[in-house]
Amino acid sequence: MPPGADAALTAAFTESMARLASGVAVLTARQADGAPCGLLVSSVCSYSVAPPSVLVAVAESARACPALAVGAAFGIHLLSGADTPAAELFARRGADKFAGTPWSWDGPVPRLTEVRSYLRCVSTAVFHHGDHAVVVGEVMRCVGDTEDRDPLVYYRRRFGWRLAAPDGQDGAVGAAGTGAAGTGAAGGTEPGDGGVVTPPRHRSVTDIGDARSRRAHALPGRRVGPP
């Protein structure tokens, strides 16, 4: 924690942000010694359409951070539910992550060959604030997934939640259910809900950027719409 930080505010902030559902991606880059590096990120979004650009936040302490200086190339792999093993692998710290997954060089960028959605970017701006750097990357190559796959959703320090379509709307993504008092998790539906986020059915995973893992006390959800 930075010197002078308010511990109570920091705890309340991180707990509040844990309740913002997001997608996850694997960022990859090449280090100064030529070795590949990568990490799992949840703070990633589209930034501009003209030119196509993304924005991603990376901890200053991450090994990949120095490899994202202006002019450097990096990759963003947008994960689907089928990519859970890659998410679990790159959420770890310190391991040789690339030894555990198929990959190849796409020019100067390590590309995970089994992830369908991939963006090759060039860093055009880096902003340093607090303990993170915000990187703007202009997209130079885009490989999209042509199949309609379930997204990999990160929520309450876990991923593997499943989104369901609202009643009568095939293929749409609904809003989160309301959850129940004392459960601390979404999952049930109430009249007027657009859809439901159902809890993960597989093992818990390590928090991104945190060595602790937590168990979710989730209300059993029902799936709405097509499987």
Side-chain angles (χ1 to χ4, degrees):
M1 185 180 300
D6 184 322
L9 175 61
T10 299
F13 170 73
T14 55
E15 191 62 30
S16 295
M17 294 307 297
R19 284 164 168 72
L20 177 64
S22 68
V24 289
V26 171
L27 182 152
T28 59
R30 183 171 64 183
Q31 300 180 91
D33 63 1
C37 59
L39 74 162
L40 189 69
V41 294
S42 60
S43 297
V44 58
C45 64
S46 60
Y47 180 71
S48 169
V49 174
S53 302
V54 296
L55 182 150
V56 60
V58 178
E60 296 275 8
S61 60
R63 287 189 299 170
C65 194
L68 301 175
V70 172
F74 63 94
I76 295 290
H77 302 75
L78 304 175
L79 304 186
S80 71
D83 300 315
T84 300
E88 294 175 340
L89 176 63
F90 282 87
R92 301 172 186 168
R93 295 182 178 180
D96 183 4
K97 304 169 186 177
F98 289 85
T101 189
W103 69 281
S104 62
W105 289 106
D106 177 24
V109 176
R111 180 182 175 187
L112 308 182
T113 54
E114 292 186 345
V115 176
R116 299 288 188 93
S117 295
Y118 164 74
L119 309 174
R120 189 176 73 192
C121 309
V122 171
S123 175
T124 57
V126 180
F127 305 95
H128 298 274
H129 181 76
D131 57 5
H132 276 62
V134 176
V135 180
V136 177
E138 184 172 339
V139 178
M140 310 304 293
R141 181 186 180 199
C142 178
V143 178
D145 189 351
T146 58
E147 296 185 32
D148 188 13
R149 299 172 185 270
D150 285 336
L152 186 57
V153 178
Y154 185 62
Y155 174 69
R156 296 194 71 240
R157 301 182 178 89
R158 290 169 61 92
F159 45 74
W161 301 80
R162 299 176 65 82
L163 299 185
D167 289 324
Q169 297 184 32
D170 289 351
V173 176
T178 57
T183 64
T189 55
E190 296 292 335
D193 278 354
V196 60
V197 178
T198 62
R201 289 177 291 184
H202 51 72
R203 63 188 182 278
S204 63
V205 296
T206 305
D207 182 17
I208 299 173
D210 191 338
R212 298 170 301 171
S213 63
R214 305 183 181 183
R215 297 190 63 180
H217 304 286
L219 182 71
R222 65 178 178 88
R223 181 134 175 115
V224 180

